[in-house]
Amino acid sequence: MRDRFQAALDRLRTDPVADGSKTAAIGYCMGGGIVLHMACHGADLAAVASFHGALPLATAGLGHDVRPTARLAVYHGEADEFVTMDDARAFRAALDATDADLLFILLPGATHGFTNPLATERGKKYGLPLRYSERADHASWDHMQQVLRAAFA
């Protein structure tokens, strides 16, 4: 996973359409865990945003000697049953030990998948605790835009 992420980042930095000096990563669910994990393990990123991310994946193998250099913006649903509040507390404790630049935004009432307009329908279809929240979706996206503007200022 780390090698693939780094290869994509390296490719992006050499693309003539992109500004390789201004890189950030955004991820949802497992992707949210991956972008956080990469930032926590030294990927050269200005900012990272994770939406209902896999927080245990983010800190897997993280030691006290590793300090993320990116600003980390984590948008987490308070009612997420896949990544529980215990998981969120463990994630925050691991990052507090590294003195990371962490913005942890807890979204009241939001469940896993809160950014996906199809989450409610899929949750019902498969018996999963998923629900779209327009309020959480828009609030987290708008906040992330501010984080990116600040990171690239």
Side-chain angles (χ1 to χ4, degrees):
M1 171 189 70
R2 288 184 198 174
D3 290 342
R4 285 180 182 231
F5 185 96
Q6 191 59 53
L9 185 57
D10 292 343
R11 172 63 183 94
L12 176 67
R13 287 213 166 98
T14 62
D15 192 305
V17 177
D19 181 348
S21 69
K22 295 180 178 181
T23 55
I26 301 167
Y28 299 80
C29 193
M30 186 175 103
I34 290 171
V35 298
L36 287 168
H37 182 88
M38 293 304 297
C40 287
H41 289 275
D44 183 17
L45 298 161
V48 165
S50 171
F51 299 86
H52 44 86
L55 300 182
L57 171 62
T59 54
L62 183 63
H64 294 285
D65 57 333
V66 177
R67 183 181 184 279
T69 56
R71 169 164 280 190
L72 308 177
V74 177
Y75 305 99
H76 183 71
E78 183 181 45
D80 191 329
E81 293 182 40
F82 290 115
V83 181
T84 66
M85 287 306 299
D86 286 341
D87 294 328
R89 281 188 284 278
F91 167 81
R92 291 188 68 182
L95 286 179
D96 285 347
T98 69
D99 196 32
D101 183 359
L102 173 64
L103 299 167
F104 189 90
I105 311 299
L106 189 61
L107 299 157
T111 66
H112 199 77
F114 64 82
T115 62
N116 184 343
L118 299 175
T120 303
E121 176 186 321
R122 290 182 179 161
K124 288 178 184 176
K125 181 177 180 180
Y126 297 107
L128 297 171
L130 303 172
R131 190 172 61 250
Y132 175 65
S133 169
E134 184 175 14
R135 179 181 295 176
D137 181 16
H138 291 271
S140 60
W141 185 260
D142 291 346
H143 187 271
M144 182 215 48
Q145 303 246 350
Q146 293 176 30
V147 168
L148 294 178
R149 278 193 291 277
F152 297 138

